[in-house]
Amino acid sequence: MKYYSTNGKAPVADLQKAVVKGLAEDRGLYMPDHINKLPKAFFADMPKMRFQDIAFNVAASFFGDDIDLDGLQDLVYDTLRFDCPVVKVKENIYALELFHGPTLAFKDVGARFMARMLQYFLRSGSVCCRDTATGKTVNVLVATSGDTGSAVANGFLGVEGIHVYVLYPKGKVSPIQECQFTTLGQNITAIEVDGVFDDCQALVKNAFMDEELNRHMMLTSANSINVARFLPQAFYYFNAVARLASQSLNSDIVVCVPSGNFGNICSALFGHEMGLPVKRFIAANNANDVFYNYLQTGQYEPKPSKQTLANAMDVGDPSNFARIINLYSENGKLSSEETHQRITSLISGATYSDDQIRETMRQCYAETGYILDPHGACGYRALEEQLQPGEVGVFCETAHPAKFKEKVDEILGIDVEIPERLQAFMKGTKQSVPMSKDFADFKAYLLSC
Ligand SMILES: *Cc1c(COP(=O)(O)O)cnc(C)c1O
């Protein structure tokens, strides 16, 4: 499979280059040059298949030319050592719980999959890093405001040949999140930056652009624009359809995805292109409403992000928007009007204020007993408002409510139980490297590593 850039000004890449580079030379996002439809027989068998085996078939369709099938099966099975159940919340509304991974975040799947894919390329002896100065280690830099850092750190933990540096803003991530990437040790280094999230991101960006540093060490990023991180999320949607079908719910399925950078919903749309029987999609947003506005007007106007209760979705310029446009314009062949028309016929939007999020969490809890987190609440409400008679709705519950315990407890007046897996992190010893927000300091540190 070849990967082209959404900006159309970079050479096509093979999978390895797309994964190691992340972003194309022209700053565009990599897109697979074709999307295979899966055979009817596969969809017929899906309800009887396990999550892992469904995922292997999906993965083979994207990565089967570039990774031998035994290696790929290994990679998929190692990534998916947990379940992703579909839970009935009320009549016709189901929660697709994406939070049963190691850090209770849906990002666990993409992070682990990417780590194992990099390792596969390293072991096959072909990774581009072999000709750099240090030669042996791939260094992953990731800036985080919380969730991404923990998923990436845990996904890469113990993966030989790769070292991860997680940069996070001092005092600005929740204690639970901080424990998830500062207590691991091994090949994970947490860097506590005296600044805000944007400072962390600037340090990472500067590092990628610094020639001396890039000569010294092989640097790569693990953010959600990476094809190895976003595509595997499609596994979730095939599994959802399979689990619904095994309960004889197989027509007029509506999938609703609480969205920030739009990587998760983008993977679902790729699944749809592969033939996944979903009637339509809803992108649920918090108060950050640029995609919602695009659907209404056809104009895309990025804005600075607003802080909300559902903070993993506080994105004012979603990076995967470019992929969605590229997909439905057939790589720029269709006009922007035609593209907009195709998108709005398949995807609708929703945007909710913090007050509406709180109200939804309370109503759902009172009516059904189901505990929504602030992100899932956007998805649940969009289905409640937009589901038509005869449709079956499934929304992603993207985070375990215990990850946002302080907020959920306060809003619902309950004491959310913290799962053992989270508690285990909280018992570890915090280790981090203090860092100023000055790039010279960060560079000196990396050069000394
Ligand atoms: C990352 C995240 C999202 C947003 O996902 P995107 O792929 O960026 O759209 C939603 N909810 C939670 C809990 C997240 O961590």
Side-chain angles (χ1 to χ4, degrees):
M1 181 88 79
K2 293 285 181 234
Y3 292 82
Y4 65 87
S5 163
T6 52
N7 284 350
K9 296 192 183 72
V12 292
D14 60 8
L15 176 64
Q16 178 176 312
K17 181 176 170 191
V19 173
V20 172
K21 287 248 158 256
L23 208 59
E25 291 90 337
D26 61 0
R27 322 283 312 149
L29 275 62
Y30 283 117
M31 291 284 280
D33 72 352
H34 60 278
I35 299 177
N36 300 317
K37 289 250 187 278
L38 287 167
K40 283 212 168 63
F42 167 69
F43 289 108
D45 287 344
M46 233 173 43
K48 298 190 293 281
M49 293 167 72
R50 294 185 310 159
F51 181 28
Q52 289 81 352
D53 295 317
I54 292 172
F56 173 55
N57 278 273
V58 177
S61 171
F62 280 110
F63 307 121
D65 300 342
D66 301 283
I67 295 185
D68 68 80
L69 291 182
D70 285 344
L72 189 60
Q73 187 169 42
D74 224 35
L75 221 149
V76 170
Y77 284 16
D78 175 73
T79 301
L80 303 179
R81 283 176 299 183
F82 51 88
D83 237 353
C84 120
V86 171
V87 176
K88 182 170 183 173
V89 176
K90 65 188 245 188
E91 210 48 43
N92 295 327
I93 297 189
Y94 294 78
L96 173 60
E97 294 187 345
L98 303 185
F99 56 69
H100 295 279
T103 76
L104 309 181
F106 77 81
K107 294 180 176 76
D108 285 331
V109 159
R112 183 72 181 167
F113 195 86
M114 181 184 163
R116 290 297 315 270
M117 192 180 269
L118 268 178
Q119 185 184 38
Y120 175 91
F121 288 135
L122 273 168
R123 282 187 180 156
S124 68
S126 54
V127 157
C128 343
C129 68
R130 292 282 163 187
D131 51 5
T132 62
T134 48
K136 287 187 190 62
T137 309
V138 176
N139 298 282
V140 172
L141 303 184
V142 60
T144 187
S145 53
D147 252 14
T148 302
S150 46
V152 168
N154 283 274
F156 282 79
L157 181 64
V159 176
E160 219 178 287
I162 306 179
H163 198 100
V164 176
Y165 297 90
V166 179
L167 286 81
Y168 71 103
K170 181 178 175 172
K172 304 232 166 31
V173 303
S174 80
I176 293 180
Q177 287 175 328
E178 189 173 10
C179 291
Q180 286 181 304
F181 50 79
T182 57
T183 59
L184 299 170
Q186 297 185 55
N187 60 329
I188 311 298
T189 303
I191 300 189
E192 188 172 17
V193 176
D194 195 0
V196 295
F197 170 68
D198 291 337
D199 297 316
C200 301
Q201 209 162 29
L203 289 177
V204 170
K205 280 191 182 153
N206 281 321
F208 288 129
M209 289 186 309
D210 190 280
E211 276 179 35
E212 187 186 359
L213 207 49
N214 282 276
R215 272 197 307 276
H216 176 75
M217 64 208 294
M218 168 74 196
L219 295 175
T220 188
S221 84
N223 59 20
S224 64
I225 50 112
N226 199 295
V227 291
R229 259 199 70 195
F230 101 90
L231 271 175
Q233 294 167 357
F235 304 159
Y236 289 136
Y237 298 95
F238 284 84
N239 189 57
V241 168
R243 301 291 77 93
L244 288 172
S246 61
Q247 302 174 46
S248 304
L249 300 164
N250 34 24
S251 56
D252 291 350
I253 293 173
V254 179
V255 167
C256 178
V257 187
S259 297
N261 252 327
F262 281 70
N264 198 8
I265 193 168
C266 198
S267 77
L269 298 171
F270 273 67
H272 186 248
E273 293 297 299
M274 294 166 86
L276 188 67
V278 171
K279 182 182 166 194
R280 61 190 186 92
F281 294 87
I282 305 175
N285 285 132
N286 57 25
N288 292 278
D289 56 4
V290 284
F291 186 78
Y292 178 83
N293 291 339
Y294 165 77
L295 292 176
Q296 313 310 311
T297 65
Q299 304 298 317
Y300 180 68
E301 287 163 351
K303 299 186 223 175
S305 65
K306 289 186 203 127
Q307 229 180 339
T308 76
L309 272 176
N311 61 14
M313 294 165 24
D314 292 349
V315 179
D317 184 8
S319 18
N320 284 290
F321 182 75
R323 276 202 173 104
I324 296 178
I325 294 295
N326 192 274
L327 184 62
Y328 293 106
S329 70
E330 293 169 18
N331 191 16
K333 284 196 205 67
L334 302 185
S335 71
S336 51
E337 290 76 20
E338 283 170 298
T339 306
H340 180 249
Q341 208 270 323
R342 284 184 73 186
I343 292 174
T344 52
S345 67
L346 183 64
I347 312 169
S348 61
T351 170
Y352 300 114
S353 67
D354 280 357
D355 280 345
Q356 288 174 308
I357 290 174
R358 284 191 200 94
E359 178 187 277
T360 306
M361 289 169 67
R362 289 193 192 110
Q363 264 174 12
C364 177
Y365 185 62
E367 196 184 324
T368 71
Y370 193 83
I371 303 173
L372 293 165
D373 94 294
H375 305 80
C378 297
Y380 173 83
R381 180 158 181 153
L383 278 182
E384 271 216 308
E385 289 180 353
Q386 299 186 19
L387 206 63
Q388 300 293 317
E391 291 178 336
V392 174
V394 53
F395 70 97
C396 299
E397 187 29 294
T398 49
H400 191 289
K403 287 198 87 170
F404 298 90
K405 182 173 168 50
E406 296 83 14
K407 293 172 186 166
V408 175
D409 283 358
E410 190 199 310
I411 293 166
L412 298 182
I414 58 177
D415 182 12
V416 174
E417 203 180 316
I418 302 181
E420 245 170 66
R421 233 170 316 152
L422 268 187
Q423 283 176 21
F425 285 112
M426 295 165 80
K427 289 192 191 107
T429 319
K430 177 183 151 178
Q431 280 176 298
S432 65
V433 177
M435 189 67 58
S436 79
K437 59 184 179 190
D438 187 352
F439 178 63
D441 289 343
F442 182 50
K443 179 174 171 179
Y445 170 75
L446 285 178
L447 286 173
S448 75
C449 285

